Amino acid sequence: MNKELEIRNYQYEVRFEENDRTIEGYAIVCNSESEDLGFREVIAPEALVGIIEKSDCLMLLEHDRKKGILARSKYGKGSLSLEVDDNGLKFRFTCPNTAIGDEAYEGVKRGDYQNCSFAFVADQDEWTKKDNGEYLRTIRSFKYIKDCSIVAEPAYGATSVSCRSFDEFKAEEERQANEAKILEAEKIEAEQREELKNYFAELRKNIG
């Protein structure tokens, strides 16, 4: 499936340490069902296996690269500390003595920025349809994480682009439904032909 960049926000509190300007939180939380994105989404724990080592991940403010960089983890090394634990992908960094560093630190300290977000490209995902009619996407693996961000919006967030794998899943679902209808129509037609054949056979027998 053709994968594109997507963005998700998490309603998971960002914490700070006043003495050394350290900020920490979770960029990704596993086994937590999203809000309604047109579908629901869950990130499986196995999706985080090896993710740090294959990602050149920037820490940004509101995903705005033009503001500058708060920290960076380049394949597991750098000023941005990333760690996978039982909850998900945890980050920790010290705000730099720069304009964006001051803005991020003061914003978190005052409570203006309370949540985390991440931009990613999915690799393997799995779609199912729940009993209530909702679609559920389970992300099994990522190609990489592009960036993590401190954000003001509290919602889990919607896709930054349309999710092609969802479109493909619905198209396949529709194709299968149409195919089932065609097969059912062909079955009914065959049964009707057989009934008609038997009728005329019986009619000829009676006439003879």
Side-chain angles (χ1 to χ4, degrees):
M1 294 181 180
N2 188 4
K3 305 297 181 181
E4 297 183 43
L5 185 69
E6 301 177 61
I7 294 175
R8 298 291 186 276
N9 296 337
Y10 276 103
Q11 212 166 7
Y12 200 100
E13 184 180 2
V14 180
R15 297 180 297 274
F16 72 95
E17 295 179 10
E18 191 164 1
N19 292 334
D20 58 5
R21 292 166 60 93
T22 296
I23 294 177
E24 65 177 24
Y26 281 89
I28 301 175
V29 179
C30 295
N31 294 326
S32 177
E33 191 171 296
S34 75
E35 293 183 357
D36 188 359
L37 308 172
F39 53 88
R40 303 285 178 172
E41 185 175 81
V42 169
I43 296 172
E46 62 264 29
L48 299 184
V49 174
I51 190 61
I52 297 174
E53 292 76 15
K54 60 184 180 182
S55 297
D56 185 359
C57 181
L58 304 178
M59 176 57 69
L60 303 176
L61 192 61
E62 297 285 7
H63 295 284
D64 190 350
R65 174 67 178 80
K66 293 179 182 179
K67 283 179 174 287
I69 299 172
L70 290 167
R72 182 178 186 176
S73 172
K74 190 170 185 178
Y75 311 115
K77 298 181 180 181
S79 54
L80 174 61
S81 174
L82 296 176
E83 176 187 359
V84 175
D85 63 17
D86 292 338
N87 290 322
L89 181 64
K90 186 176 183 179
F91 68 82
R92 182 181 175 90
F93 69 95
T94 299
C95 289
N97 293 314
T98 60
I100 187 177
D102 294 341
E103 181 181 352
Y105 176 71
E106 291 300 325
V108 171
K109 184 178 178 180
R110 296 195 319 173
D112 298 334
Y113 295 107
Q114 296 183 338
N115 304 104
C116 306
S117 178
F118 72 107
F120 66 95
V121 175
D123 186 19
Q124 298 293 327
D125 55 11
E126 177 182 290
W127 290 92
T128 54
K129 194 170 185 178
K130 301 166 69 175
D131 292 339
N132 62 3
E134 289 184 331
Y135 295 92
L136 177 65
R137 180 195 195 191
T138 302
I139 296 180
R140 298 294 181 186
S141 66
F142 293 105
K143 282 189 175 181
Y144 57 84
I145 304 299
K146 181 180 180 182
D147 67 68
C148 300
S149 288
I150 299 169
V151 296
E153 292 296 325
Y156 184 100
T159 52
S160 59
V161 296
S162 61
C163 184
R164 287 194 177 183
S165 61
F166 184 38
D167 295 336
E168 291 170 0
F169 177 79
K170 288 194 295 182
E172 176 63 18
E173 183 182 50
E174 184 176 355
R175 186 195 66 77
Q176 290 180 4
N178 290 336
E179 186 177 87
K181 289 179 181 178
I182 292 171
L183 291 175
E184 181 63 22
E186 290 176 346
K187 178 182 177 183
I188 293 173
E189 185 180 353
E191 290 174 349
Q192 290 174 341
R193 283 199 304 267
E194 186 65 24
E195 288 176 1
L196 193 61
K197 177 182 176 182
N198 293 336
Y199 169 76
F200 282 113
E202 187 66 24
L203 185 62
R204 285 193 298 269
K205 179 181 178 182
N206 291 334
I207 292 174

